[in-house]
Amino acid sequence: MGNVISLDSILGLGELKAPAETPVAAASGCVSSSCGSSDGPADMDPAVWEKVKNHPCYSEEAHHYFARMHVAVAPACNIQCNYCNRKYDCSNESRPGVVSEKLTPDQALKKILAVAQEIPQLSVIGIAGPGDSLAANGKNTFKTFEMLQKKAPDLKLCLSTNGLALPDHVETIARYNIDHVTITINAVDPEVGQHIYPWIFHDHRRWTGLDAAKILHERQMLGLEMLTSRGILVKVNSVMIPGINDEHLLEVNKAVKARGAFLHNIMPLISDPAHGTHFGLTGQRGPTAQELKALQDQCEGGVKLMRHCRQCRADAVGLLGEDRGDEFTLDRIEAMGEVDYDAEAARTYREHVENERAGRHAAKAAAQAEVVETVGDTVQPILIAVATKGGERINEHFGHAKEFQIYEVGPKGAKFVGHRRVDQYCEGGSGDEDALDTVLSAINDCAAVFVAKVGGCPSKKLEAAGIEPVDRFAFEYIEESALTYFKDYAERLSQGAINSRAGQDAVIRTGAFTARRA
Amino acid sequence: MAYKIKASDCTACGACEAECPNGAISFKKGAYAINPSICTECKGQFDSAQCASVCPADCCVPA
Ligand code: SF4
Ligand code: SF4
Ligand code: SF4
């Protein structure tokens, strides 16, 4: 299990910067922590914050600290999407709807308890498929939640659905205290929807074309309204499909905001002929990193955007960005015998995070105030790629990073804007050329890459590509470091020592994210 | 008359089992199968065979 985020990479290392004199209110223009979905209590309803603060998918801040686990108990589906192929099942893949292990509710319960035992960061149990969690009457989904609630009532429950069957199940969802629901909504206009959904199964028959898209749309909107009116938090996922719904997603953003959605998560289409999906076979491409970011930026101001979604597999285990599923295979779980649930470790961990948070909010505000003072607001923001294992710190080796978190830093503060997957570039010690090129193309729009450590050879290549490798902030907090770097960058820029790096784009890498560990 | 499942295409998702109005479909020996003596082709109950309409792999077919 070597590379798992260890508690001491979160605890202890590096000191908290002195708490800010700056009152939080003074910094409320757009501090890092009030952009995107990373808001703290300052501008969020306390009741909502209470629900999301430990949920890695709903709170950008929590995703540095808490782990989620998906159990694949729902293989059936009631619609067909052009980006999904239900026959496909490959353990080297990492996208929704793909899973290698289907579980019965009993097996799922056992697996959850075993994982909770070993990973105190675990705070959320989700059911996201591999089909639709509410298809086939949601039988397995609700059975699993029912048992779980009795055994481990402190774990949060969530589910994802395409929305078709949602209105029929809102009562049950409320009854089981499921306080987060994700609906995948790719269109709010059947004209657009018909190019994404070839058919649906509803009211005992198969519908196609415009009819199918219209029914699905109406059911999604109804389900969304029913949930939000009951105070259940709803996140909307949309898959960005260039040429089909890319511009239309602005409309989706407005429509779901009007109906009370809490977060909107725009994900890139994952498309490859080898997946055998309709889009894969017809050569429909996914968006580039800058196309995705441009759309996300345009939606800013609408429903809060979630930029940290990893499009996890339906059986993912661990912190976002890692998947420890391989450690908890069915065979291993079966061999464990009875597993008891002990909430103590989880409670201690949650208390630690509470303490850490208070200091973090103040430190970020202070660092940002300093930048505004010294840099002014004329310098263009830059992107920085960060190698991290979690805990909001720069604590990963360049060669070990399986993904880079992307921060935009400028006079308005530092904010998390996304993540880029890369192949594990360094398996044994000697870097491999092609893999390094992959990393370069994935972070080509960044001015610098922050790492805990980086070798001499990749360092040179990065510099040659115009991306500065930076290891002087090793084990420090990401946002404060980014701001310090930006201050320095602005100074060098004004002295003409460097040129600004604008107009670059990067490639979104999909698949290849199994995070298998030696 | 009855429907059957082409086992080679079946993804074992179980969607058909949940839709069959007669409980004719079950998971046995690692695969889903239709019991032909129970299957009515949904005649008199629905306009289309429910299993065939919901199956994502289009592998529920007339026997
Ligand atoms: S797929 Fe997205 S929403 Fe689901 S757990 Fe992963 S990050 Fe969260
Ligand atoms: S045709 Fe109808 S009765 Fe026969 S197996 Fe399919 S759903 Fe059941
Ligand atoms: S719906 Fe089709 S694929 Fe799914 S179990 Fe039934 S026959 Fe197999």
Side-chain angles (χ1 to χ4, degrees), chain B residues 5 10-16 32 55-57 59-60:
Chain B
I5 292 173
C10 175
T11 65
C13 71
C16 54
Y32 281 93
C55 176
C59 65
C60 298

Side-chain angles (χ1 to χ4, degrees), chain A residues 57 68 70 96 235 237 265 306 308-312 320:
Chain A
C57 303
R68 52 73 183 102
H70 286 169
K235 166 162 74 76
N237 276 353
N265 172 27
M306 166 176 175
H308 59 274
C309 177
R310 301 299 199 281
Q311 298 180 288
C312 311
L320 293 194

Side-chain angles (χ1 to χ4, degrees), chain A residues 58 77-79 81 83-84 96-97 127-129 131-134 159-166 181-188 196-197 213 216-217 219-221 224 227 234-241 245 249 252 256 261 263-268 309 311:
Chain A
Y58 283 77
C77 196
N78 47 11
I79 69 173
C81 304
Y83 49 78
C84 180
I127 295 183
D132 185 79
S133 61
L134 298 178
L159 60 81
S160 305
T161 174
N162 58 44
L164 182 60
L166 184 56
V181 172
T182 302
I183 315 175
T184 302
I185 302 179
N186 297 318
V188 288
I196 305 172
Y197 309 105
L216 180 62
H217 164 62
R219 302 280 291 173
Q220 288 173 333
M221 294 299 128
L224 171 58
L227 288 171
V234 180
K235 166 162 74 76
V236 170
N237 276 353
S238 300
V239 180
M240 178 182 181
I241 312 163
N245 73 348
L249 287 180
V252 173
V256 301
L263 261 184
H264 188 196
N265 172 27
I266 299 177
M267 311 181 291
C309 177
Q311 298 180 288

Side-chain angles (χ1 to χ4, degrees), chain A residues 218-413:
Chain A
E218 286 166 1
R219 302 280 291 173
Q220 288 173 333
M221 294 299 128
L222 176 63
L224 171 58
E225 283 168 8
M226 288 171 76
L227 288 171
T228 53
S229 72
R230 277 170 179 74
I232 297 168
L233 290 182
V234 180
K235 166 162 74 76
V236 170
N237 276 353
S238 300
V239 180
M240 178 182 181
I241 312 163
I244 292 189
N245 73 348
D246 42 353
E247 285 164 22
H248 180 65
L249 287 180
L250 287 170
E251 297 305 313
V252 173
N253 187 265
K254 281 190 209 122
V256 301
K257 180 183 191 176
R259 289 170 181 81
F262 167 70
L263 261 184
H264 188 196
N265 172 27
I266 299 177
M267 311 181 291
L269 170 71
I270 299 180
S271 160
D272 183 322
H275 300 154
T277 63
H278 175 79
F279 283 150
L281 295 172
T282 54
Q284 171 66 49
R285 71 175 180 93
T288 68
Q290 283 300 308
E291 283 173 338
L292 178 66
K293 184 170 176 294
L295 178 65
Q296 290 176 330
D297 288 348
Q298 270 180 294
C299 288
E300 203 82 54
V303 185
K304 286 198 178 67
L305 281 183
M306 166 176 175
R307 298 179 188 246
H308 59 274
C309 177
R310 301 299 199 281
Q311 298 180 288
C312 311
R313 288 158 49 127
D315 60 355
V317 176
L319 286 162
L320 293 194
E322 70 170 8
D323 188 350
R324 296 179 58 183
D326 284 354
E327 296 167 40
F328 300 96
T329 57
L330 201 49
D331 296 350
R332 232 199 100 193
I333 305 291
E334 294 290 358
M336 279 180 180
E338 268 307 299
V339 192
D340 276 325
Y341 182 68
D342 168 16
E344 194 46 44
R347 202 173 307 124
T348 316
Y349 180 74
R350 278 168 216 171
E351 271 167 23
H352 154 69
V353 173
E354 270 317 302
N355 294 336
E356 177 104 347
R357 264 186 188 134
R360 301 284 301 115
H361 283 283
K364 285 181 201 176
Q368 199 237 325
E370 207 185 313
V371 166
V372 173
E373 203 172 293
T374 52
V375 178
D377 51 11
T378 51
V379 184
Q380 286 296 314
I382 54 171
L383 294 181
I384 291 173
V386 182
T388 172
K389 292 195 255 199
E392 295 188 69
R393 292 181 192 268
I394 303 157
N395 51 8
E396 181 67 293
H397 189 294
F398 178 77
H400 295 164
K402 287 165 293 294
E403 66 167 23
F404 288 91
Q405 297 194 353
I406 308 296
Y407 279 76
E408 183 174 84
V409 53
K412 288 201 173 128

